Amino acid sequence: GFAVKYLRLILIPGLATILYSALSRGPAMFIKPVMDDVLIAKDKSMLWTFVLAGGVITIGIFVTNMVKDYVKRYVMLRILVDIRVAVCRHLLTLSLRFFHNKKAGDLISRVTNDIAVTQVALEYLFDDALLQPCLFLAGLGVAFHANWKLTLLTLPLVALFAYPVVRLGKAVRKSKLKSLVKLGDLTE
């Protein structure tokens, strides 16, 4: 494929997503030290340390999210442009008989819809399929850091909630496929 030549660039949003996930869950790690060192022990010097660390984390979250979104959008649009160019090159090599047997509106509609579906799939890949597992794992790391016994105790509940979500996701995908088939029928 089309994504192979952008593999190095695809790694950038991947790494930025991992870093963003860790940084966005980082402030939760400060709750116990802030309570113990600042509020209970009344150590004002530690307060400024936490304020500085919070500022650095906030800037880190902003930068990693910006890099992730910018490079993701760039790669995604470049892949879509490459797909469009490949489709156009292919269409230009077809015989006139092919175009005589097909309606121009049908052909344009099919190409446009297929590329739109590809764009949605790429957005899902970069946003949901990559970001959500990273955020979950970072949150799990914070939970283990806070209280590993409680985390191990609640993990079966996560599996209990995951099952209905997976079933619902399959139903949504099945419904989406049916709507795409109907859309294809409408454009013919």
Side-chain angles (χ1 to χ4, degrees):
F2 292 101
V4 172
K5 68 181 182 180
Y6 300 108
L7 199 54
R8 287 187 183 141
L9 280 176
I10 291 172
L11 291 175
I12 293 171
L15 293 173
T17 298
I18 292 168
L19 193 56
Y20 169 79
S21 301
L23 287 172
S24 66
R25 299 302 183 243
M29 307 268 291
F30 288 122
I31 292 172
K32 186 179 184 316
V34 167
M35 296 293 267
D36 292 343
D37 297 340
V38 177
L39 296 177
I40 294 173
K42 298 185 188 222
D43 185 359
K44 291 183 181 181
S45 65
M46 287 303 291
L47 174 65
W48 291 111
T49 303
F50 288 121
V51 168
L52 182 63
V56 169
I57 288 173
T58 302
I59 292 169
I61 289 170
F62 169 75
V63 169
T64 55
N65 194 34
M66 186 185 71
V67 167
K68 172 183 70 76
D69 286 345
Y70 180 80
V71 177
K72 171 198 72 168
R73 181 78 46 198
Y74 174 80
V75 170
M76 191 176 68
L77 291 176
R78 290 304 315 156
I79 290 171
L80 289 172
V81 166
D82 289 349
I83 290 171
R84 285 184 177 125
V85 167
V87 168
C88 287
R89 280 191 180 139
H90 177 71
L91 288 175
L92 289 172
T93 62
L94 296 175
S95 68
L96 289 177
R97 180 176 308 207
F98 174 82
F99 293 103
H100 180 70
N101 295 335
K102 301 280 184 195
K103 296 178 185 173
D106 179 44
L107 188 62
I108 291 170
S109 175
R110 284 178 176 261
V111 169
T112 303
N113 287 334
D114 288 349
I115 290 178
V117 169
T118 304
Q119 182 173 357
V120 169
L122 286 172
E123 286 175 357
Y124 169 78
L125 174 70
F126 280 110
D127 287 338
D128 295 334
L130 186 63
L131 179 62
Q132 297 307 322
C134 288
L135 288 173
F136 176 77
L137 291 174
L140 195 61
V142 170
F144 266 107
H145 176 74
N147 189 337
W148 66 272
K149 291 177 187 175
L150 183 61
T151 304
L152 287 177
L153 187 67
T154 57
L155 278 179
L157 291 174
V158 171
L160 185 69
F161 284 111
Y163 178 72
V165 169
V166 168
R167 284 194 54 160
L168 182 65
K170 285 181 182 179
V172 167
R173 280 193 296 278
K174 192 174 183 181
S175 173
K176 180 89 170 170
L177 181 62
K178 286 180 183 177
S179 70
L180 287 176
V181 169
K182 287 181 182 178
L183 183 64
D185 291 342
L186 288 174
T187 57
E188 284 189 15

